[in-house]
Amino acid sequence: MKAKPKVISIVGARPQFIKLAPLVKELSHRFRHRIIHTGQHFDNNMSSIFFRQLRLPKPYINLGISGGTHGAMTGRMLARVEKVLLYESPDLVLVYGDTNSTLAGALAAAKLAIPVVHIEAGMRSFVSGMPEEINRKLTDHVSEILFCPTPVSVKNLKAEGIKKKIVYSGDVMYELLKASRPAITANQKALKKLGVREESEYLLLTVHRAATVDSETNLRVLVDIISELPLPTLFPVHPRARKRLKQFKLWRELDQIDRLFLVEPLSYLDALTAARYAYAVLTDSGGLQKEALFLGTPVLTLREETEWIETLKLGNNLVGLDKAKVLKLLQVKPSVKSMVYRVKNKKPSHIIAEEIARFLQRRLPRGD
Ligand code: UD1
């Protein structure tokens, strides 16, 4: 009997572990599935905790590449991933989202003529210099199958003239969140551990994007906003944000703000639990802004634009780093329409695995 096709998932950063999780079962069932971890995120609470909590198989290899400039990081990943792919010779490679690990994985595979599958394709912020926008555009343009989470992402790809296989799969992050709902409800006790107690009596804040945290001016504005927030605020600090806050000598000022709970980055379950029971979520994260809406929690997005255009009709408030807007919106609880992204009753993971299987069947020589 012929061996199952070999497919490799390349991941490296926190949001990719989340996007991979709902796919693991389907992929392992149909293919010989291996995980390459680039090492982009390496702290326990940025990486290992997600593997444990989301029951991801141990990576086949961790390349240990992180930090440095975008070019240096991506370049080192490209060279090392290429080596592994040459050795492993997979039938197909999956990449996820829009990080430097995504781009390095996609480029390494495409240049070896290994078909690339992009999970969460077609997302666009239309901000040209943004690192994630560069990564996702280039990745889309070298991919063979593009799985889109939303109807708008399908349109974006068509508008760019992409002729490869574009599939509206629905959102794998929604799939995981839906499956995690009972665990989120059962995890309410985690709020106490995090320092916030009462449902709806606190805010959840996260920031990590270069545009927010790499600019001293923007970080100062953020600290000023935080100092006037009307409710106790839980702030899990991303390593990039922590580094910049210290570098710009803003950490002490932040630490002295009353009713601000500075904590380490949260596990998937604790983050969603904190989002579910918050009065509102303030974030510059692409993932968390829609996860909050999935959970029915109001969102103030600390950016001027969003890739998740559909969320704007459902209560996503693009407030940028505008203190007056933030404070005004928090006076009365903003309304929110809970949202879902899915294709009828089909699971995105199932649609994705089936389509990949069909693609490989057409492409690979038949076994006896
Ligand atoms: C990356 C992605 C972004 C994604 C985000 C989620 C790119 C361009 N950006 O940004 O799309 O939304 O991850 O978190 O790929 N660090 C640690 N410990 C860690 C990880 C990072 O200390 O576990 C440090 C790094 O050394 C670096 C900084 O934090 O100095 C930023 O990490 P980096 O991997 O450059 O990207 P993120 O800002 O996390």
Side-chain angles (χ1 to χ4, degrees):
M1 207 175 71
K2 200 176 178 299
K4 289 178 183 174
K6 187 193 277 186
V7 306
I8 289 186
S9 285
I10 299 175
V11 293
R14 185 171 62 174
Q16 291 161 338
F17 313 140
I18 296 170
K19 296 183 219 297
L20 168 64
L23 278 164
V24 154
K25 227 181 176 171
E26 288 273 358
L27 294 176
S28 319
H29 175 63
R30 294 164 193 263
F31 314 112
R32 280 178 294 152
H33 177 230
R34 287 191 166 162
I35 299 169
I36 300 181
H37 189 322
T38 62
Q40 180 169 351
H41 286 171
F42 49 87
D43 288 342
N44 174 49
N45 48 25
M46 294 293 288
S47 175
S48 326
I49 197 169
F50 289 85
F51 278 81
R52 283 198 303 278
Q53 194 170 74
L54 301 174
R55 299 213 171 85
L56 299 177
K58 231 175 128 70
Y60 161 68
I61 186 167
N62 186 324
L63 304 176
I65 300 166
S66 66
T69 61
H70 285 272
M73 190 204 295
T74 313
R76 280 186 291 147
M77 286 176 184
L78 178 59
R80 290 291 310 281
V81 171
E82 179 179 64
K83 243 188 198 168
V84 180
L85 295 182
L86 277 169
Y87 180 76
E88 283 294 317
S89 184
D91 296 301
L92 181 140
V93 159
L94 289 104
V95 294
Y96 301 77
D98 58 14
T99 73
N100 291 340
S101 299
T102 315
L103 177 61
L107 275 182
K111 281 179 172 285
L112 294 171
I114 300 167
V116 177
V117 166
H118 189 195
I119 307 296
E120 208 172 85
M123 303 311 294
R124 296 290 182 267
S125 64
F126 301 100
V127 178
S128 54
M130 179 183 176
E132 289 84 355
E133 184 82 350
I134 298 168
N135 292 341
R136 48 173 101 98
K137 266 191 167 177
L138 294 174
T139 300
D140 282 339
H141 283 260
V142 296
S143 293
E144 285 292 326
I145 317 180
L146 300 100
F147 289 105
C148 298
T150 65
V152 171
S153 51
V154 173
K155 274 194 205 139
N156 289 340
L157 293 177
K158 294 200 167 146
E160 285 176 23
I162 290 185
K163 298 277 183 294
K164 295 293 167 67
K165 182 91 187 161
I166 299 170
V167 180
Y168 173 42
S169 59
D171 187 353
V172 287
M173 290 183 73
Y174 173 70
E175 180 177 347
L176 181 63
L177 184 140
K178 196 169 169 228
S180 308
R181 269 184 188 278
I184 295 168
T185 311
N187 191 39
Q188 211 177 334
K189 58 185 181 309
L191 298 179
K192 201 169 170 190
K193 177 184 80 193
L194 295 168
V196 287
R197 270 164 222 201
E198 306 294 326
E199 182 172 341
S200 264
E201 290 297 321
Y202 67 93
L203 302 168
L204 173 66
L205 166 76
T206 79
V207 287
H208 76 274
R209 268 180 212 281
T212 319
V213 304
D214 284 1
S215 143
E216 182 171 351
T217 313
N218 284 350
L219 261 194
R220 283 194 182 279
V221 173
L222 180 73
V223 173
D224 184 39
I225 294 175
I226 296 172
S227 70
E228 293 199 29
L229 289 174
L231 285 169
T233 300
L234 180 64
F235 182 10
V237 190
H238 185 282
R240 175 185 283 271
R242 182 183 296 266
K243 195 156 131 184
R244 296 296 183 231
L245 282 159
K246 291 193 168 159
Q247 180 187 338
F248 301 139
K249 311 235 174 324
L250 287 163
W251 183 261
R252 188 172 295 177
E253 196 178 318
L254 193 70
D255 202 20
Q256 281 167 355
I257 297 175
D258 232 18
R259 302 192 304 169
L260 176 66
F261 301 92
L262 292 170
V263 295
E264 292 294 318
L266 303 179
S267 72
Y268 178 73
L269 201 55
D270 283 358
L272 290 194
T273 306
R276 158 73 180 82
Y277 294 105
Y279 176 89
V281 170
L282 285 73
T283 187
D284 68 353
S285 155
L288 189 59
Q289 67 185 256
K290 69 186 158 120
E291 285 167 330
L293 290 172
F294 289 148
L295 292 163
T297 303
V299 186
L300 277 63
T301 298
L302 303 169
R303 297 171 57 195
E304 306 290 341
E305 70 294 313
T306 179
E307 298 77 29
W308 302 92
I309 304 293
E310 290 92 340
T311 63
L312 296 177
K313 282 190 231 134
L314 300 161
N316 187 0
N317 304 282
L318 290 183
V319 290
L321 284 172
D322 185 324
K323 183 165 81 175
K325 271 193 198 163
V326 170
L327 297 182
K328 183 156 185 264
L329 266 165
L330 290 175
Q331 275 169 7
V332 180
K333 192 166 181 167
S335 69
V336 52
K337 284 191 205 135
S338 182
M339 66 168 209
V340 290
Y341 284 146
R342 63 168 173 234
V343 183
K344 291 196 185 116
N345 283 326
K346 289 192 176 170
K347 284 189 176 168
S349 61
H350 190 73
I351 296 176
I352 291 168
E354 265 196 336
E355 189 64 46
I356 293 176
R358 269 198 294 274
F359 173 85
L360 289 174
Q361 244 165 29
R362 283 195 299 269
R363 197 179 153 91
L364 298 176
R366 282 178 159 263
D368 297 326

